[in-house]
Amino acid sequence: MATIGSAQSTVVDQRNRGLHDLRISVTDRCQLRCRYCMPEEVFGKDYVFLPKSQILSFEQITLVARASVNLGVKKIRLTGGEPLMRRDIDQLIAQLYSIEDLDEIALTTNGLLLPKYAKKLKAAGLDRVTVSLDAMDDEIFSEMNGGKAKVSHVLKGIIAAKEAGLYVKINTVLKQGVNDGQVLALAHQARDFGVPLRFIEYMDVGNCNGWEASDVVDTKQVLAQLETIASLEPVNPAHIGEVAKRYRFTDTQTEIGFITSISEPFCGDCNRARLSADGQIYTCLFSSVGYDLKPIIQRQGKTDDELVSFLTAQFSSIWQQRDDRYSEIRFNENVEKQPKVEMSYIGG
Ligand code: SAM
Ligand code: SF4
Ligand code: SF4
């Protein structure tokens, strides 16, 4: 990727963790109401989403992205809310694509709008999409997503992404007693598509999903179920900070991953920062507060290069103060339970 230059330097936080990934939430809105993310009772018709006037433009997002790349970010993931609900998102991708030293642009989506946009996204420079799909059975899928989409809609999105030449992964959040019986059906579908499938432990993100530790599905049980299809072999991590523990079916080579943030936290390697749609940097998915970059982004009379340099200094100072490790300490009794930022606002 090339044209906008940068002078890359690395920065580490209080726990000696570098900055490698930036997740950018481009909107806090979504057409679904997954119960573990945006339950309808809370995100109903009276819910107040971010006003348009507060949302960063693509140019402003690109300035922050350039600053993050100056500090070591190699990978950007667009998320939300539902990122494909942000109009002309391909134009943002094209702007990000022009940043030198950025290796990869990915996007996480519920997949519903992929048939419409997959080709445009690919043409703009998107490398990968992760599509969320929690069940193969429509009734169970409805129970997970609030009844607003059918499995076939998501499958069409996955097919469109594959046809457009995007590298595709499927993400499944497992909730005990709701979709834990869907493991085999999902694995068969992933094998048919030839795409990796990752099971994510249901997390206590935000303040309104009613999470309980007993909702989390035991990874060993899932593995045992999968081994009834074909044997699985472990796959070595591709890089430091890889969150998924990966396996491969020995017959089809389809990969299965587990993101075990509850049972086996990975804070020690966590190298991800998050930018909200309204310009706040969050250094942990479970943060209570973010750091507002808007006062810098909106400075008048400065060139883009000057703004990027101010943002780089500010981002560097934020990262150097970082000491987060929520998942390692979530069950400690003396951890003060503060309100957390919502997943739909900060991005997954
Ligand atoms: N709307 C897009 C989607 O659903 O893929 C992107 C945003 S969503 C917040 C990003 C990811 O977070 C999705 O894969 C979703 O399943 C996951 N997620 C949301 N709430 C979660 C929770 N409570 N525990 C675990 N994963 C969650
Ligand atoms: Fe929307 Fe994604 Fe949250 Fe589901 S997980 S409500 S699709 S943002
Ligand atoms: Fe990173 Fe926070 Fe998750 Fe730990 S809890 S892995 S620090 S986002």
Side-chain angles (χ1 to χ4, degrees), residues 266-267 270 272 274 284-286 322 324-327:
F266 36 77
C267 300
C270 179
R272 286 177 298 282
R274 291 175 160 85
C284 178
L285 185 52
F286 300 90
R322 176 188 194 237
D324 305 289
R325 58 186 193 105
Y326 177 86
S327 287

Side-chain angles (χ1 to χ4, degrees), residues 268-289:
D269 289 335
C270 179
N271 52 21
R272 286 177 298 282
R274 291 175 160 85
L275 174 68
S276 67
D278 63 345
Q280 314 271 327
I281 289 288
Y282 287 84
T283 55
C284 178
L285 185 52
F286 300 90
S287 296
S288 303
V289 285

Side-chain angles (χ1 to χ4, degrees), residues 1-137:
M1 299 190 182
T3 62
I4 304 174
S6 64
Q8 249 196 340
S9 69
T10 49
V11 61
V12 291
D13 70 4
Q14 296 287 311
R15 297 182 176 271
N16 208 29
R17 298 168 296 191
L19 174 60
H20 186 273
D21 284 20
L22 179 66
R23 299 193 164 205
I24 301 175
S25 171
V26 293
T27 176
D28 59 342
R29 293 167 193 260
C30 184
Q31 47 318 39
L32 300 190
R33 287 293 178 269
C34 302
R35 299 210 52 79
Y36 50 72
C37 177
M38 298 178 79
E40 182 88 55
E41 311 83 83
V42 177
F43 293 86
K45 57 180 183 330
D46 296 332
Y47 186 82
V48 182
F49 290 97
L50 289 172
K52 260 202 181 131
S53 59
Q54 293 287 312
I55 291 191
L56 297 188
S57 67
F58 292 161
E59 288 69 27
Q60 291 172 327
I61 292 174
T62 304
L63 295 177
V64 180
R66 283 175 61 191
S68 75
V69 170
N70 284 345
L71 296 171
V73 162
K74 291 284 181 196
K75 179 175 163 191
I76 287 182
R77 177 172 294 279
L78 301 178
T79 175
E82 174 47 43
L84 297 184
M85 286 184 70
R86 178 88 185 248
R87 189 183 298 225
D88 298 326
I89 187 80
D90 57 303
Q91 291 176 13
L92 172 62
I93 293 168
Q95 291 183 29
L96 297 174
Y97 186 75
S98 69
I99 301 176
E100 198 179 332
D101 290 328
L102 184 62
D103 290 347
E104 191 178 289
I105 306 172
L107 178 141
T108 306
T109 172
N110 57 33
L112 300 179
L113 291 170
L114 277 174
K116 197 166 168 193
Y117 295 127
K119 276 196 192 130
K120 267 190 171 181
L121 300 174
K122 174 69 184 171
L126 188 71
D127 297 296
R128 302 168 167 263
V129 283
T130 300
V131 182
S132 303
L133 174 63
D134 295 333
M136 288 304 297
D137 174 278

